Amino acid sequence: MRHMADRRRSSPSAVAGRVAAVFPTPGRVPGEHRLPGPLEQRAYLIGGRLRAWEGPLREVHSPLRLRSGSSLRRVRLGAYPALSAKESRAALAAARRAYDDGRGAWPTLPVGERIRHVEAFTAAMVARRGEVVRLLMWEVGKSLADATKEFDRTVEYIRGTIDALKDLDRASSRLVIEQGVFAQIRRAPLGVALCMGPFNYPLNETFTTLIPALIMGNTVVFKPPKLGVLLWQPLLESLRDCFPRGVVNTVYGDGATVVGPLMESGGVDVLAFIGTSRVADVLKHQHPRPHRLRSVLGLDAKNPAIVLPDADLGNAVGECLLGALSFNGQRCTALKILFVHRAVADEFVSRLAAAVDALPVGMPWDPGVWITPMAEEAKPAYLRELVDDAVSRGAAVRNAAGGTVLETYFHPAVLYPVAGGMRVWDEEQFGPVIPVVPFAEVSEPLDYVRNSPFGQQISLFGSDPAGMARLIDPLVNQVCRVNLNSQCQRGPDAFPFTGRKDSAEGTLSISDALRVFSIRTLVAAKGSEANKELLSAILQERRSAFLSTDFIL
Ligand code: G3H
């Protein structure tokens, strides 16, 4: 595949023209991507029943505008329940009842049967793929290619989780004998998990905690993110039908209203949250017995790239473009600051700016589109502030129309030269602003990483083995993934995904997630003759689901 960085540069007026025409008239929305009409969602799932909400609703508008003459019109997508603390407590109570202190049907169900429930849900989910993908486009502005990828990757993740659990179960289906003590060691559930994903991956990053939590025998309350809520509606009936009553429950509405009471009750055993460290701290502190709370958190990041003088510049520009601008930079793993050696900085910036100028902009369904409107209504104004601040302190916007705002659309801005003291040096922009910092000594970006409050990933671009190795060794103790001549990313999902400092707590990967949502538990007996007979009888007569040498094929 040809890197976007190799495409021909567009003229500044052509870029400005594309930006001005970014929003289509209603007639130009292809039929297959139109929504049938506003989705007025009143249903929420508690205790195996889809209840109809009669209270206030929260309006949902798309970040995509439609042109009508010379004005741009907001598109109303529908509404969803603004539940109160009362319904939120009812959701938690239903999950606690279904768990029943570990005695419920779900936590005691044999692993093979829990897998069958998840498989049934996966099949039902796949049948709603088209609707979910369409809502992903309209609710968060994700391109058709990325929205489809998010859905398919999620299904792959679920299937991978099932396989990983079968492996884990097979490995635990045996007795171990140590110092004359017999034991069977398995992983058991923890209780009720509260799962909350982020708006940039509302489906995928909710399911990457929801599914492992469920399959390990926990019961779940989940709250969709602030954006990307309606896309859950096509899945609600399947969640109700494929799992026993109370195993999956939903809460909708304002986080402070519906999540605060859950945490304050002490009834949440596992907090799975992807969002900001500020909110994570608030939630954790709300729990009355924090030592009882297990947390798995994906938080803030400002992943840097370091481009050394001997880097393959074509590759470095292409990967930095992908890293900084995939889904408009709205990824926790995005490259958010680029350190480029002075010897190649001018050349790098000029090639990067040309590559940005060549990017197709438009609506999520436009073929080959890269840059789409921002998911958050207030984001373009914030990004503009970052650009203005950097420019007022000596940086320049190096690409055509960089930083242009048109309602929810923000055109990417390559800022150069960026230096400490500018807001974009410290702040996580979570959007298409690309700060480029020239450096003379490699100690400069290394100091940046050491002093940063974040510690997720880094990308290194270079070709000299000795030079690269000198950077790898100190950096692996600062961040959790060092990418060589490649952008930062979470995948493949079999790899561990985590971070240091303010970037994460706990590790997620297909297999790690199974561990996060469970605890090692064992049945042990001193190896007396009487105990051996007892163990044999329980095993041979298949008296226990836990103490069992059966395994899943
Ligand atoms: O927003 C953060 C996501 O975990 C990033 O995942 O690197 O696959 O886009 P990704």
Side-chain angles (χ1 to χ4, degrees):
M1 201 183 83
R2 207 159 63 118
H3 253 309
M4 185 54 66
D6 300 331
R7 293 207 182 175
R8 272 216 354 254
R9 183 170 204 159
S10 303
S11 72
S13 62
V15 176
R18 285 206 300 272
V19 172
V22 74
F23 294 110
T25 56
R28 300 205 57 154
V29 179
E32 69 270 31
H33 302 308
R34 289 187 192 160
L35 289 168
L39 203 164
E40 312 296 348
Q41 188 196 323
R42 290 191 173 269
Y44 60 105
L45 178 62
I46 293 188
R49 202 159 60 80
L50 283 175
R51 304 184 185 190
W53 174 243
E54 300 297 337
L57 299 173
R58 286 197 141 196
E59 294 285 299
V60 182
H61 287 92
S62 175
L64 313 180
R65 300 286 196 260
L66 291 179
R67 184 173 296 284
S68 150
S70 58
S71 59
L72 294 173
R73 178 167 67 73
R74 288 177 93 197
V75 180
R76 181 176 177 276
L77 299 179
Y80 64 86
L83 300 180
S84 74
K86 182 166 163 251
E87 292 72 39
S88 170
R89 288 195 194 97
L92 180 61
R96 290 230 68 90
R97 269 197 306 282
Y99 191 70
D100 193 17
D101 296 313
R103 298 168 307 170
W106 184 250
T108 54
L109 206 59
V111 169
E113 286 184 42
R114 282 208 297 266
I115 288 176
R116 273 192 282 284
H117 284 272
V118 173
E119 284 172 338
F121 173 73
T122 313
M125 171 180 173
V126 168
R128 310 302 289 265
R129 179 175 184 257
E131 288 159 86
V132 175
V133 166
R134 193 160 51 206
L135 282 162
L136 261 171
M137 288 193 285
W138 281 97
E139 277 195 275
V140 299
K142 189 166 278 197
S143 72
L144 175 61
D146 284 347
T148 308
K149 194 159 103 195
E150 177 167 349
F151 189 96
D152 294 346
R153 176 181 178 181
T154 305
V155 172
E156 287 286 298
Y157 190 98
I158 300 175
R159 294 188 175 136
T161 299
I162 291 172
D163 289 343
L165 180 55
K166 287 181 179 170
D167 279 348
L168 187 65
D169 193 70
R170 278 193 284 268
S172 320
S173 291
R174 57 188 281 267
L175 295 191
V176 290
I177 308 169
E178 277 294 332
Q179 298 175 22
V181 180
F182 289 64
Q184 182 156 29
I185 308 166
R186 288 186 181 277
R187 300 204 72 97
L190 292 161
V192 174
L194 172 61
C195 298
M196 291 188 285
F199 77 84
N200 60 335
Y201 281 91
L203 185 82
N204 180 263
E205 291 209 316
T206 307
F207 270 122
T208 55
T209 60
L210 183 74
I211 292 295
L214 283 174
I215 212 162
M216 292 311 287
N218 304 280
T219 59
V220 167
V221 174
F222 87 88
K223 179 188 169 296
K226 61 181 178 180
L227 307 170
V229 182
L230 296 176
L231 60 89
W232 285 93
Q233 195 273 347
L235 305 178
L236 277 184
E237 286 180 1
S238 312
L239 287 169
R240 177 196 62 190
D241 298 342
C242 298
F243 295 100
R245 183 178 307 155
V247 169
V248 185
N249 307 275
T250 60
V251 292
Y252 291 96
D254 172 56
T257 310
V258 296
V259 178
L262 298 182
M263 296 307 296
E264 283 158 7
S265 73
V268 172
D269 302 300
V270 194
L271 171 65
F273 172 73
I274 321 276
T276 64
S277 58
R278 186 188 60 76
V279 173
D281 284 345
V282 171
L283 296 176
K284 285 181 71 162
H285 283 116
Q286 284 172 332
H287 198 288
R289 295 185 199 84
H291 60 273
R292 287 198 184 185
L293 180 71
R294 174 157 321 169
S295 300
V296 54
L297 310 172
L299 306 172
D300 322 313
K302 193 161 171 96
N303 292 338
I306 303 179
V307 182
L308 298 169
D310 60 351
D312 169 345
L313 273 199
N315 176 66
V317 168
E319 288 293 316
C320 287
L321 193 72
L322 262 179
L325 294 184
S326 297
F327 192 29
N328 312 317
Q330 298 167 120
R331 293 162 61 223
C332 62
T333 46
L335 284 174
K336 295 185 180 119
I337 189 160
L338 312 181
F339 290 88
V340 185
H341 193 274
R342 282 194 189 288
V344 291
D346 284 344
E347 170 73 6
F348 177 91
V349 169
S350 138
R351 287 165 78 162
L352 182 66
V356 173
D357 286 352
L359 292 179
V361 308
M363 293 295 101
W365 46 81
D366 290 341
V369 71
W370 263 60
I371 308 298
T372 54
M374 306 298 298
E376 296 169 290
E377 209 56 42
K379 190 44 93 57
Y382 165 72
L383 295 175
R384 187 66 237 180
E385 277 180 24
L386 291 186
V387 170
D388 290 344
D389 170 75
V391 168
S392 75
R393 294 170 200 278
V397 175
R398 299 295 294 263
N399 59 305
T404 303
V405 174
L406 189 58
E407 302 234 349
T408 49
Y409 182 80
F410 180 90
H411 194 67
V414 177
L415 286 172
Y416 178 77
V418 162
M422 298 178 186
R423 285 177 60 186
V424 77
W425 175 269
D426 302 300
E427 293 180 29
E428 181 184 5
Q429 64 270 44
F430 217 79
V433 171
I434 316 178
V436 184
V437 185
F439 71 88
E441 298 297 333
V442 82
S443 57
E444 297 165 39
L446 289 181
D447 284 346
Y448 179 88
V449 174
R450 194 162 49 86
N451 295 323
S452 167
F454 314 114
Q456 194 197 61
Q457 300 190 19
I458 192 165
S459 291
L460 301 181
F461 294 92
S463 56
D464 169 40
M468 293 288 266
R470 263 198 304 279
L471 290 181
I472 291 169
D473 289 353
L475 284 168
V476 288
N477 293 343
Q478 297 290 328
V479 298
C480 285
R481 176 163 164 168
V482 176
N483 300 279
L484 306 183
N485 296 312
S486 317
Q487 66 149 329
C488 296
Q489 61 183 44
R490 174 177 176 152
D493 288 326
F495 286 0
F497 178 53
T498 185
R500 300 168 186 270
K501 302 193 244 184
D502 290 354
S503 287
E505 179 175 342
T507 302
L508 287 174
S509 74
I510 289 175
S511 54
D512 283 303
L514 298 177
R515 289 169 173 74
V516 163
F517 289 99
S518 60
I519 187 160
R520 299 231 295 168
T521 304
L522 55 147
V523 175
K526 286 187 180 169
S528 65
E529 284 312 308
N531 274 345
K532 285 185 198 167
E533 275 174 35
L534 178 70
L535 288 173
S536 296
I538 293 173
L539 292 172
Q540 281 162 14
E541 294 161 27
R542 293 198 163 91
R543 300 266 180 191
S544 163
F546 186 100
L547 190 57
S548 162
T549 48
D550 289 349
F551 56 86
I552 311 166
L553 288 173

